[in-house]
Amino acid sequence: MSLENLEIIDSGTGSGLTMSPEMQSHLKEICKWSRFLAILGFIFIGLSFIIMLLAGGTMATLMASSGVPGMAAAGPLITIISLALIALYIIPVLYLYKFSGNTKKGLQSVSQEMVDLGITNFRKFWKFIGVFTIGFIILYFVMMIGGLATMMSMQ
């Protein structure tokens, strides 16, 4: 690759980001797929929320009528936890959507600031996914220990 094929994205300070046309093309493609996945994420959130509201009431009724002590409270609790997790999913989807839009605008207008803002949202997306994953790994570990402790106490 020769230096003639590189474009400088400059914010007016004299120092800029050097991007080849190929890199810009890849970034534009990433933006398209990110937007597509973000829109699917928003649709999934909406459908999940509606389904959980409808199924949550049915689940609460079935658990309450099971006759098992304490099961009456489990239905609404599961519904509330599920709705909270669905609501939490909005955060990474929004970061992904903002990444796509800001980066695309930055590439089209040759604006370093917009590309920076897009990449910042992409970093926030992955940071959220990483923290969320670590949280669930810890939760699974605690649940396994709790399950083992329950099994040991039953013997």
Side-chain angles (χ1 to χ4, degrees):
M1 174 185 311
S2 66
L3 291 178
E4 295 87 39
N5 291 335
L6 298 178
E7 277 187 46
I8 304 290
I9 297 178
D10 193 355
S11 61
T13 61
S15 63
L17 173 67
T18 305
M19 271 198 217
S20 68
E22 183 181 13
M23 186 188 310
Q24 289 180 11
S25 174
H26 292 320
L27 205 48
K28 285 177 185 176
E29 188 174 344
I30 291 168
C31 289
K32 288 177 188 176
W33 282 106
S34 296
R35 180 171 294 258
F36 171 72
L37 291 173
I39 290 170
L40 282 181
F42 286 128
I43 291 169
F44 173 75
I45 290 166
L47 290 175
S48 297
F49 188 75
I50 291 168
I51 290 169
M52 199 60 218
L53 284 177
L54 296 174
T58 304
M59 185 171 34
T61 304
L62 288 174
M63 290 183 147
S65 66
S66 70
V68 178
M71 287 302 276
L77 182 65
I78 291 171
T79 301
I80 291 169
I81 291 171
S82 297
L83 289 173
L85 289 174
I86 292 168
L88 192 62
Y89 188 59
I90 291 172
I91 297 169
V93 172
L94 195 56
Y95 284 146
L96 194 60
Y97 188 78
K98 286 181 178 181
F99 156 73
S100 173
N102 291 333
T103 305
K104 181 180 176 184
K105 286 178 193 172
L107 290 171
Q108 288 173 342
S109 65
V110 192
S111 168
Q112 181 68 49
E113 292 173 17
M114 290 301 289
V115 173
D116 287 348
L117 186 58
I119 298 298
T120 297
N121 281 299
F122 202 45
R123 179 190 59 81
K124 289 179 179 179
F125 168 80
W126 285 110
K127 184 177 181 179
F128 183 92
I129 295 297
V131 170
F132 201 68
T133 302
I134 290 167
F136 267 97
I137 290 171
I138 291 169
L139 180 65
Y140 291 150
F141 185 69
V142 169
M143 289 172 56
M144 285 191 304
I145 291 173
L148 289 172
T150 303
M151 288 174 43
M152 298 289 277
S153 70
M154 295 174 119
Q155 291 179 352

